[in-house]
Amino acid sequence: MPRRGRLASKSKVDRERRVGASALFPDPDDCALLNDRLTRNLIRGHKRVARGPVTPTFDRESFRNELADFDFQEPHPLDKLLSWTTKQMEQGLVHVTHPRYFGLFNPAPTFPAQCADRIVSAFNPQLATATTSPAAIEIEAHVVRSIARRAGFPPEATGHFTAGGSEANYTALLCALTRATPDFATRGARAFDGPPVFYVSRESHLAWIKIAHQAGIGRSAVRLVATDGFGRMDQNALNEAIIGDRRGGRVPFMIAATAGTTNAGMIDPLWACAELARSNKLWYHVDAAWGGALIASDYLRHVLGGIERADSVTIDAHKWFATTMGCGMFITRHPNVLSCVFEVSTSFMPSHNSSLDPYVNSLQWSRRFLGLRLFLSLAAAGWSGYAEHVERSVALADMLKAELLRREWSVVNSSPLAVLCIKPPPGVGDVRSIVARVLASGRAWIAAASFEGSDVIRACITNGETMSDDVLELVRLLLARSDARERVICPEGDHGRKQLFAN
Ligand SMILES: Cc1ncc(COP(=O)(O)O)c(C=O)c1O
C-alpha cells in the first residue's frame, strides 16, 4: 500500500490500486456484468414480493448473528453480497411495493424514478452549486416551476427539492419566522415581542412539533387547532386561537393548513385559512405533502382550491407522485425569501449566486440530484399519466368503500383522496385486533389510526400496481370470510400509467 512521505513509482502505485481497490472500482466489463445480474435479480425479486407476504418473514436474532460474521476483515465477492442483500430485503421489510400494501404514503416507485436513481448514482453530481452541476440544477428548477404553475402559483414562484415533507415544512417555518421579523435571522426567537406561535389543526402531521423544537421556538409554539368533527381545521376555533394568543402576549406568525391529512385525507378550508392569514398578516403555508398530487388531475384538482393563495406549499414527490424516497418539494411565491433565510458566504465554494446556488437558498449543503426522479416520471407519462394514476387510486378507494358499506361496515371520513377510515360493525371485533389479524395473515398491510378521537382502520391506496382483486382480497381479510372473491371491473389504466409502472 502506498504510504505518505515515501516516493513510490507511478507504475507501482497504479498496480497497487488495481489490487486493493478493485472491489470498490471494478473494471467497466465487470461493472456491466454485475449490473446485469443485479437488474435481473431485482426484477425476479419484485415478482416474488408481489406473490409473497407483505410483512417481513424475519428473525432478528438470527439475522444479527449472520451480520456479526461481517467483521470486515476479509473481502467478500460483490456478486454474492448483492444476492445476499436482495434476499434480506425480500425477507426483512414491510413491502411498500406490494400491491396489497394499503399503508402510509409509500407507493411502489415509478420505473422512471428508479432509472433516475441509477443515473444519479453513476454520475453522483453535487448540487450545492449551479456552477458544478448546471444541467442538473436547470432540470430541478424546471420541474419545480412546472409544479408551481400547475398548482396555480405566479410565474416568479420558486423552490427546491427537499429530503421530504418534514424538511419542506421546516423550510416554510423558517421563511415565515424570517418574514415576520427579519431580526430573527440574527437574534432567533428573542427577536419577537413575545413567544412566537403558529397554527395547525390537531389532525395535521405532527412533525410540526419536532420542527418547532429544532427551530428553537419550543414545542409550545405549535397551536393545535380543534377540528370540525370531519377532520378539518375549524375556522372559528382558528380565529379565536389567534385572538386569544394576541391577548395573551404571544406573537402569531403562520397558519399552516393541511391539504390531505395523514390519517384521513381531509382538506382544511384552504380559502378561509388564506383569508384569516391575510387579515392577520400571517404567513400562509399549505402542507399538501400527499394531496398535492391531485394537481395532475383536471377532474380532481378543484378540491385543492385555495392552495394558490398560499405563501408556500409542501408537495412530496415520494408520496402520491410515486418517486423513490425521499423526494419532497418546497415552493414559495416569494422569490427572495429563501436567500434571506439560507444566505451564507464562504471562501471555498466555487460560486455564490443566491438565485441559482442551492447551498445559499435551501437547508442542505451537499445535495443529491433528487429532481430527476420526478422529471423522468413526468416526462415519460405526462400530466395525463399522473392524472390516470391518482384518479385510479381514488376509484379503487371508492370501490373499497362501496364493498364495505354493502356489508354494513362504515367509513367515517369523507375524503376526496384515496384513503378510508373504516369502522367495523358492532360484534365483529375491535379495530386493533382486526388490524393485527390482517397483518398476521401477511396478505395485506393496513394500519390502526385515530380519526376525530376514535379508533379506525386506515386503508390507503397509492400503489399504481394495486388491482381490483387486491381490494377485494382486503375486504375478504377484513371480514375474515371467503365470500368476497367476486370480480369487479376496475379501470386498469392505459398508456400513460404504463409509462410509470413498467411490466
Ligand atoms: C401531510 C403530511 N405532511 C408531512 C409529512 C411528513 O413527510 P416526510 O415523511 O416526507 O418527512 C407527511 C408524512 O406522511 C404527511 O402526511
Side-chain angles (χ1 to χ4, degrees), residues 105 163-167 169 205 207 258 260-262 287 289-290 316 318-319:
F105 317 113
S166 302
E167 184 194 327
N169 284 346
H205 192 281
T258 309
T261 56
T262 311
D287 177 0
W290 81 284
D316 275 354
H318 71 206
K319 292 195 167 72

Short mmCIF file of all heavy atoms in Angstrom, two decimals, residues 105 163-167 169 205 207 258 260-262 287 289-290 316 318-319, ligand 1:
data_model
loop_
_atom_site.label_atom_id
_atom_site.label_comp_id
_atom_site.label_asym_id
_atom_site.label_seq_id
_atom_site.Cartn_x
_atom_site.Cartn_y
_atom_site.Cartn_z
N PHE A 105 -48.05 6.63 3.05
CA PHE A 105 -47.90 7.05 1.64
C PHE A 105 -46.55 6.65 1.08
O PHE A 105 -45.72 7.50 0.74
CB PHE A 105 -48.08 8.55 1.50
CG PHE A 105 -49.22 9.06 2.30
CD1 PHE A 105 -49.00 9.88 3.38
CD2 PHE A 105 -50.51 8.69 1.99
CE1 PHE A 105 -50.06 10.33 4.14
CE2 PHE A 105 -51.56 9.13 2.74
CZ PHE A 105 -51.34 9.95 3.82
N ALA A 163 -35.46 16.65 1.29
CA ALA A 163 -35.40 15.23 1.63
C ALA A 163 -36.79 14.65 1.83
O ALA A 163 -37.00 13.45 1.71
CB ALA A 163 -34.58 15.05 2.91
N GLY A 164 -37.77 15.50 2.15
CA GLY A 164 -39.14 15.01 2.35
C GLY A 164 -40.03 16.15 2.81
O GLY A 164 -39.63 17.32 2.81
N GLY A 165 -41.24 15.77 3.24
CA GLY A 165 -42.22 16.78 3.65
C GLY A 165 -41.78 17.51 4.91
O GLY A 165 -42.05 18.71 5.05
N SER A 166 -41.12 16.82 5.81
CA SER A 166 -40.73 17.48 7.06
C SER A 166 -39.72 18.60 6.78
O SER A 166 -39.84 19.69 7.35
CB SER A 166 -40.11 16.48 8.03
OG SER A 166 -41.02 15.46 8.29
N GLU A 167 -38.76 18.33 5.91
CA GLU A 167 -37.78 19.39 5.59
C GLU A 167 -38.49 20.56 4.89
O GLU A 167 -38.18 21.73 5.15
CB GLU A 167 -36.65 18.86 4.71
CG GLU A 167 -35.58 19.91 4.44
CD GLU A 167 -34.62 19.55 3.32
OE1 GLU A 167 -34.31 18.37 3.12
OE2 GLU A 167 -34.17 20.49 2.63
N ASN A 169 -41.63 21.48 5.26
CA ASN A 169 -42.41 22.22 6.26
C ASN A 169 -41.48 23.04 7.16
O ASN A 169 -41.82 24.16 7.57
CB ASN A 169 -43.26 21.26 7.09
CG ASN A 169 -44.49 20.78 6.33
OD1 ASN A 169 -44.85 21.34 5.28
ND2 ASN A 169 -45.15 19.76 6.83
N HIS A 205 -49.92 16.79 10.40
CA HIS A 205 -48.79 15.87 10.61
C HIS A 205 -47.90 16.43 11.71
O HIS A 205 -47.34 17.52 11.57
CB HIS A 205 -48.00 15.70 9.32
CG HIS A 205 -47.02 14.58 9.39
ND1 HIS A 205 -45.81 14.69 10.03
CD2 HIS A 205 -47.09 13.32 8.92
CE1 HIS A 205 -45.17 13.54 9.94
NE2 HIS A 205 -45.92 12.69 9.28
N ALA A 207 -45.03 16.15 12.74
CA ALA A 207 -43.62 16.55 12.60
C ALA A 207 -43.49 18.04 12.93
O ALA A 207 -42.39 18.51 13.25
CB ALA A 207 -43.12 16.26 11.20
N THR A 258 -53.56 21.97 6.17
CA THR A 258 -53.19 20.67 5.59
C THR A 258 -54.16 20.34 4.45
O THR A 258 -55.37 20.40 4.63
CB THR A 258 -53.26 19.55 6.65
OG1 THR A 258 -52.51 19.96 7.80
CG2 THR A 258 -52.66 18.25 6.12
N GLY A 260 -54.91 17.31 2.76
CA GLY A 260 -54.74 15.86 2.76
C GLY A 260 -54.11 15.44 4.07
O GLY A 260 -52.89 15.24 4.15
N THR A 261 -54.93 15.32 5.13
CA THR A 261 -54.35 14.94 6.42
C THR A 261 -53.83 13.50 6.33
O THR A 261 -54.32 12.69 5.54
CB THR A 261 -55.40 15.04 7.56
OG1 THR A 261 -56.53 14.25 7.21
CG2 THR A 261 -55.83 16.48 7.78
N THR A 262 -52.86 13.22 7.18
CA THR A 262 -52.16 11.94 7.08
C THR A 262 -53.10 10.77 7.38
O THR A 262 -53.12 9.79 6.65
CB THR A 262 -50.98 11.94 8.08
OG1 THR A 262 -50.26 13.16 7.89
CG2 THR A 262 -50.07 10.76 7.86
N ASP A 287 -49.65 22.48 3.64
CA ASP A 287 -48.95 21.19 3.61
C ASP A 287 -49.79 20.23 2.77
O ASP A 287 -50.75 19.63 3.26
CB ASP A 287 -48.77 20.68 5.05
CG ASP A 287 -48.11 19.30 5.08
OD1 ASP A 287 -47.80 18.76 3.98
OD2 ASP A 287 -47.91 18.76 6.19
N ALA A 289 -48.49 17.56 1.31
CA ALA A 289 -47.42 16.57 1.09
C ALA A 289 -47.90 15.42 0.20
O ALA A 289 -47.22 15.07 -0.75
CB ALA A 289 -46.90 16.05 2.43
N TRP A 290 -49.06 14.87 0.50
CA TRP A 290 -49.51 13.80 -0.42
C TRP A 290 -50.68 14.23 -1.27
O TRP A 290 -50.76 13.87 -2.45
CB TRP A 290 -49.74 12.49 0.33
CG TRP A 290 -51.03 12.30 1.05
CD1 TRP A 290 -51.38 12.85 2.23
CD2 TRP A 290 -52.12 11.46 0.64
NE1 TRP A 290 -52.63 12.42 2.60
CE2 TRP A 290 -53.10 11.55 1.65
CE3 TRP A 290 -52.36 10.63 -0.45
CZ2 TRP A 290 -54.31 10.86 1.61
CZ3 TRP A 290 -53.56 9.93 -0.51
CH2 TRP A 290 -54.53 10.05 0.51
N ASP A 316 -44.89 16.42 -1.72
CA ASP A 316 -43.87 15.36 -1.76
C ASP A 316 -43.99 14.55 -3.03
O ASP A 316 -45.05 13.97 -3.29
CB ASP A 316 -44.05 14.41 -0.57
CG ASP A 316 -43.36 14.93 0.68
OD1 ASP A 316 -42.66 15.96 0.59
OD2 ASP A 316 -43.52 14.30 1.74
N HIS A 318 -42.31 11.86 -3.38
CA HIS A 318 -42.20 10.44 -2.97
C HIS A 318 -43.48 9.89 -2.35
O HIS A 318 -43.50 8.76 -1.89
CB HIS A 318 -40.99 10.21 -2.05
CG HIS A 318 -41.14 10.78 -0.67
ND1 HIS A 318 -40.07 11.14 0.09
CD2 HIS A 318 -42.20 11.05 0.11
CE1 HIS A 318 -40.46 11.60 1.26
NE2 HIS A 318 -41.76 11.55 1.30
N LYS A 319 -44.52 10.69 -2.34
CA LYS A 319 -45.79 10.14 -1.86
C LYS A 319 -46.63 9.75 -3.08
O LYS A 319 -46.33 8.76 -3.73
CB LYS A 319 -46.47 11.15 -0.92
CG LYS A 319 -45.68 11.29 0.40
CD LYS A 319 -46.44 11.96 1.50
CE LYS A 319 -45.77 11.81 2.85
NZ LYS A 319 -44.54 12.61 3.02
C1 LIG B 1 -49.50 15.75 5.44
C2 LIG B 1 -48.08 15.34 5.71
N1 LIG B 1 -47.15 16.28 5.92
C3 LIG B 1 -45.87 15.97 6.17
C4 LIG B 1 -45.45 14.67 6.20
C5 LIG B 1 -44.01 14.35 6.50
O1 LIG B 1 -43.39 13.99 5.32
P1 LIG B 1 -41.99 13.17 5.30
O2 LIG B 1 -42.29 11.86 5.95
O3 LIG B 1 -41.68 13.07 3.85
O4 LIG B 1 -41.00 13.97 6.05
C6 LIG B 1 -46.38 13.64 5.99
C7 LIG B 1 -45.97 12.23 6.02
O5 LIG B 1 -46.75 11.33 5.89
C8 LIG B 1 -47.73 13.99 5.73
O6 LIG B 1 -48.67 13.07 5.54
#
